[in-house]
Amino acid sequence: MASLVFLAGPIAGRRFKLAAGEHVIGRRSDSQVFVPDMRVSRQHAKIVSDGEGWKLVDLGSNNGTFVNGNRVAGTIALHHEDEILIANNRIKIDVKATPSAPYESMRRATIIPGHSTSVIHSRAETDPGRAALMTSGLMSIGDQRELRLIERKLEALTQILHATAASDTPDALLEKIVGALLEVFPQAQHVGVLVSEEKHGELQIKVQKHRTGLVDEPLLVPGTIVSHVVSESRSVLLSESTVGEETIGRRMGAPLVYHGAHYGVVYVETKHSGFRQEDVDLLQSIATQAGLAIHAARVAAQLARRDQIERDLRMARQIQRSLLPAKPPEVTGLDFAVHYEPAHQIGGDFYDFIWHDPSHLGLCVGDVSGKAISAALYMARLTSELKSRAAIARTPARLLRRVNQEMVSLGDDGMFATLVYCMYDLEQRTITFTNAGHCLPLLRRDDHVFPLEAEKAHVQPLGVTPDMEAGEAKVQLHTGDMLIMVSDGIIEARDGKGNEYGLLRLQRRIKTARGGAEDIIKAILADVDTHTGGTAQSDDMTIVAMAIDARSARRKTTTFPGVEPPAEATEPTG
């Protein structure tokens, strides 16, 4: 199984698994490897499997594609751990070889005759030589205690490592740590862990355990221990008596920290035998290792949650794309083109082509307030309402009034949508439009570009109030005319200094561009890219263009569901 691993860039840490076939890398939302970076071309490069390996093909990108520092010209073979550079996105190709048989790597080990005549064995705790050394007086009492402390630290470290390996969640790890503390401190009767909650940072008892397994009374942690441990990030022993020069206490605590991040406090108490200085030192060592383990467990849990969210977002993006038209309708005499590019995995923009009847085609572009899942769900409901009511609402104004009532009834506080809806009459070649707070549609005729605006055709956004009085306006179209509808992601695209692209510059670019609908959209996008100069895209971008062909829309070639298209339509005059 091969994968692409992003090492740097806006989606650093992401891994894309590569199945057989082609995988396009680009910033278009329908790319198999979606990269939300304005310096990445919409379809930048593709990775292809030829059955024997993987190859990279540059798709004529503006900024080029590099493999191991060399610019790709055409097609290049990829190998394990090759590094691909696209703008500032560093990507590693990970090709995991499947072993031909189990334990393949172990078979590569070779046993050779040894030349050493001595073998060193590890000594058990009951090694008589060690016991004799300690009781013979050859080691001082201090040395013996130091040795015991080192052994206990090693034993505690082993316990923590085992606990870490056996735990797949932070909570499970805490349970293991508490159990390990009871084993490391045989005199301890009650152990607890206070954890700083991730949301509000307050210390709360997360896990506690009594040596008998039954907690017959609540764990009472002295505030003195908590305050000293938290403020000084050091272990604390509450002294209650002294034996000679040595302090003895029944309660001690230590901080769970890692690189300055404070995760909580571990607390140990006993009712009878007291703790000594070496016990506090040992608890400090355990807490240090436990802090590292808790940090690793939390990071792993966060990565797992992020991976799940990203999987959900990818699925939501695919579902959202499926709700949008796969391609524009095919109508003789009309030339359509569409560009849809969300700024993130899921966008708030939408567009649609809706047949009211065989001779009336609706075109709409809209933008839902908010982002992510809530905007996508609202968009899905809105487009569904538009389609279901188009056949009975024969004008844009009536359609938007009815859809607005339905969206208000949803009761989604704060959610609304801007929308411009144009209905094209194939027989009369007229556009009837209503604009619900959206960007003005533009009409190019000859060498002029006109914004389609009329006071009676402007209404408030959908979903704001149930009492919406919607009006509409009509415009006669001629051969060679072109209608362009955009979302505010085009108008409000900003350069590095925060300057907007703007409606006037859009009109100028449309005026000077040549070619059909697809050519006009490409010219607009190239001009927007020039203006932004690589600045990250901050909003969704949608463009829908419709050109009136010189042949005129004399016959509809796309079938209307449930209705036979007219055999022939006369060309309108005027």
Side-chain angles (χ1 to χ4, degrees), residues 512-533:
T512 58
R514 294 293 178 261
E518 185 70 32
D519 299 313
I520 298 299
I521 286 183
K522 288 181 178 178
I524 294 172
L525 294 174
D527 198 38
V528 170
D529 286 350
T530 300
H531 173 74
T532 57

Side-chain angles (χ1 to χ4, degrees), residues 22-33 40-46 57-62 65 86 339 341:
E22 295 186 355
H23 299 263
V24 175
I25 304 172
R27 77 169 194 265
R28 267 181 45 167
S29 62
D30 56 351
S31 300
Q32 286 80 10
V33 182
V40 176
S41 297
R42 290 172 176 83
Q43 289 187 306
H44 198 104
K46 67 178 179 180
V57 183
D58 185 84
L59 298 177
S61 61
N62 293 330
T65 306
I86 297 177
H339 174 78
E341 184 179 346

Side-chain angles (χ1 to χ4, degrees), residues 393 395-402 421 432-434 468 470-472:
T395 69
R398 292 178 183 176
L399 176 60
L400 265 57
R401 278 199 299 268
R402 295 188 179 187
Y421 196 96
T432 305
F433 66 92
T434 298
M468 184 179 79
E472 57 195 31

Side-chain angles (χ1 to χ4, degrees), residues 198-484:
E198 294 184 70
K199 290 184 178 180
H200 45 70
E202 295 181 2
L203 283 174
Q204 295 184 354
I205 296 177
K206 193 73 172 179
V207 182
Q208 58 177 314
K209 185 174 292 187
H210 196 274
R211 181 165 295 280
T212 62
L214 298 176
V215 181
D216 52 2
E217 59 184 18
L219 181 64
L220 302 178
V221 182
T224 304
I225 285 184
V226 174
S227 61
H228 278 277
V229 167
V230 171
S231 62
E232 300 178 15
S233 293
R234 296 176 59 186
S235 298
V236 173
L237 171 66
L238 289 187
S239 61
E240 298 178 4
S241 62
T242 56
V243 176
E245 297 181 354
E246 189 171 18
T247 301
I248 298 177
R250 292 186 299 153
R251 299 177 178 86
M252 59 180 179
L256 297 170
V257 295
Y258 176 74
H259 280 199
H262 201 291
Y263 293 111
V265 176
V266 59
Y267 172 73
V268 184
E269 71 175 31
T270 182
K271 299 296 184 184
H272 305 294
S273 302
F275 298 116
R276 302 171 182 270
Q277 182 63 50
E278 67 180 55
D279 296 311
V280 182
D281 295 340
L282 176 59
L283 184 63
Q284 178 69 58
S285 299
I286 295 174
T288 300
Q289 296 301 323
L292 171 60
I294 291 172
H295 171 78
R298 283 195 175 185
V299 170
Q302 290 170 357
L303 290 175
R305 288 196 298 269
R306 191 184 72 174
D307 288 344
Q308 181 62 51
I309 291 172
E310 289 181 345
R311 285 194 295 270
D312 292 344
L313 287 175
R314 286 197 298 271
M315 180 61 68
R317 178 165 64 96
Q318 294 172 5
I319 294 173
Q320 186 182 43
R321 287 289 307 186
S322 70
L323 295 175
L324 300 174
K327 60 181 181 179
E330 297 177 1
V331 181
T332 301
L334 298 179
D335 178 26
F336 292 99
V338 173
H339 174 78
Y340 172 76
E341 184 179 346
H344 307 287
Q345 290 271 22
I346 301 176
D349 278 9
F350 63 95
Y351 66 94
D352 213 339
F353 302 93
I354 303 172
W355 287 104
H356 289 247
D357 56 52
S359 61
H360 291 87
L361 174 62
L363 301 83
C364 68
V365 171
D367 186 3
V368 175
S369 65
K371 301 295 180 186
I373 301 295
S374 60
L377 294 174
Y378 196 88
M379 182 214 81
R381 179 61 182 271
L382 178 55
T383 54
S384 175
E385 291 294 334
L386 287 169
K387 291 177 180 177
S388 64
R389 297 176 183 276
I392 57 176
R394 307 304 291 269
T395 69
R398 292 178 183 176
L399 176 60
L400 265 57
R401 278 199 299 268
R402 295 188 179 187
V403 171
N404 176 71
Q405 291 174 352
E406 192 64 33
M407 299 309 294
V408 170
S409 68
L410 293 178
D412 292 330
D413 293 339
M415 294 293 291
F416 63 89
T418 64
L419 173 72
V420 59
Y421 196 96
C422 299
M423 188 172 71
Y424 180 67
D425 187 326
L426 276 70
E427 297 179 356
Q428 301 299 322
R429 290 207 302 184
T430 59
I431 281 285
T432 305
F433 66 92
T434 298
N435 192 337
H438 198 71
C439 303
L440 295 174
L442 301 173
L443 176 64
R444 190 180 81 167
R445 175 172 294 169
D446 300 326
D447 291 330
H448 301 282
V449 178
F450 308 95
L452 295 184
E453 55 181 333
E455 185 175 351
K456 62 180 179 180
H458 284 272
V459 298
Q460 60 189 352
L462 302 181
V464 176
T465 176
D467 302 323
M468 184 179 79
E469 290 298 327
E472 57 195 31
K474 182 180 292 187
V475 177
Q476 181 70 52
L477 299 186
H478 302 129
T479 297
D481 285 353
M482 183 177 294
L483 175 71
I484 297 98

